[in-house]
Amino acid sequence: METSVSEVVESFKDFLLVKYPDHYKKIENRLKDDELSAKTEALIFSYLRFHFNEVIVGEDISNGGVDFIVDANEIKFFCRSNFFKSFCHKLPNWHR
């Protein structure tokens, strides 16, 4: 079964609402102001959560910073979703 981008975004928003309410407000605003960035962030988060045990929202709400901190079997790395923005809009069915 294929998951649409819209479903991924809604799932990400649900996660933020429960775990990071301030980030939920920010993603809501970003969906209005810069939809591509918001969708990219949701897709990257979904990919990371699927492949790694622990994904933490690392962005400081007022200062910015890395979007995600990933704990991958004792190795931690950081991820900024803006790096992937130029690639994500080229995906098939991007607007679904």
Side-chain angles (χ1 to χ4, degrees):
M1 186 172 128
E2 186 177 307
T3 303
S4 71
V5 173
S6 297
E7 290 171 316
V8 170
V9 170
E10 288 304 312
S11 177
F12 182 52
K13 285 171 44 181
D14 291 344
F15 171 82
L16 291 176
L17 185 60
V18 172
K19 295 258 188 181
Y20 301 91
D22 290 337
H23 288 271
Y24 173 82
K25 294 172 191 167
K26 189 171 183 180
I27 200 77
E28 281 286 299
N29 291 334
R30 192 174 296 143
L31 280 164
K32 295 173 193 164
D33 299 336
D34 187 358
E35 185 181 24
L36 179 59
S37 288
K39 285 181 174 181
T40 301
E41 189 172 337
L43 286 168
I44 296 302
F45 176 79
S46 178
Y47 177 85
L48 293 172
R49 285 279 297 224
F50 183 81
H51 290 285
F52 301 103
N53 296 331
E54 187 176 351
V55 180
I56 299 165
V57 174
E59 183 178 25
D60 181 286
I61 210 71
S62 58
N63 297 325
V66 298
D67 294 318
F68 306 111
I69 302 167
V70 181
D71 188 348
N73 299 324
E74 299 181 21
I75 297 171
K76 287 190 178 184
F77 66 91
F78 306 104
C79 180
R80 293 219 27 139
S81 59
N82 277 350
F83 174 79
F84 299 97
K85 187 165 93 170
S86 63
F87 303 108
C88 284
H89 78 280
K90 296 175 186 174
L91 294 172
N93 304 319
W94 172 251
H95 297 288
R96 290 189 15 201

